[in-house]
Amino acid sequence: MRLPIQYALTYPERWDSGLEDLDFAKLGQLTFASPDLKKFPCLGLALDVAKEGGTLPTVLNAADEEAVEAFLKGRIRFSQIYKVVDRSVRAHKKINKLTLKTIQDTDVWARHHAQAVIKAVAAKN
């Protein structure tokens, strides 16, 4: 993860990381497993939202951004991020016909809804 993080922090430049190039032949074998969706519920929610489409991905993204910001500011616990995002996605009435205005309006709605959920979740802390 060091290299992707460095790329993100130094974009659009590329600094020498000092890391060796990845040699897949030296790895020998890669093993893949299905993700544990109970341990990572946000991933399961994201997969469901991706399948559903419409405005739901916009809601998930906006609600997640609001929830993460609230977590970083100490207003909610890390484990409550999922609750904020899930409640926001479930409260939204999906719109399938996408326009720029629809997406923008959905983003605004999702942020307001997520902030209300954050306030309710934070009050229980």
Side-chain angles (χ1 to χ4, degrees):
M1 283 304 296
R2 287 173 30 195
L3 189 60
I5 291 169
Q6 178 186 321
Y7 279 179
L9 293 174
T10 62
Y11 181 84
E13 297 177 33
R14 291 287 186 249
W15 294 355
D16 179 18
S17 67
L19 298 173
E20 292 183 33
D21 289 341
L22 180 60
D23 184 348
F24 287 101
K26 285 183 182 177
L27 290 177
Q29 179 178 339
L30 296 176
T31 304
F32 297 92
S34 297
D36 183 344
L37 299 180
K38 287 185 180 183
K39 192 180 279 186
F40 306 104
C42 285
L43 177 58
L45 181 60
L47 292 170
D48 292 343
V49 162
K51 287 177 192 170
E52 285 288 318
T55 49
L56 291 179
T58 302
V59 173
L60 181 130
N61 181 71
D64 180 65
E65 288 181 359
E66 294 296 321
V68 168
E69 182 178 344
F71 164 70
L72 293 174
K73 290 182 175 177
R75 295 178 56 210
I76 63 172
R77 294 187 310 272
F78 180 79
S79 61
Q80 293 173 315
I81 292 172
Y82 172 75
K83 287 181 182 180
V84 173
V85 177
D86 182 59
R87 289 180 189 175
S88 298
V89 167
R90 294 187 191 290
H92 179 67
K93 184 174 179 180
K94 178 178 79 165
I95 301 167
N96 286 316
K97 186 178 179 187
L98 299 178
T99 65
L100 179 58
K101 178 153 177 35
T102 301
I103 293 169
Q104 290 171 328
D105 290 347
T106 299
D107 184 85
V108 169
W109 176 89
R111 289 177 190 281
H112 286 129
H113 188 274
Q115 289 167 7
V117 175
I118 289 164
K119 190 177 284 186
V121 168
K124 292 182 181 180
N125 284 344

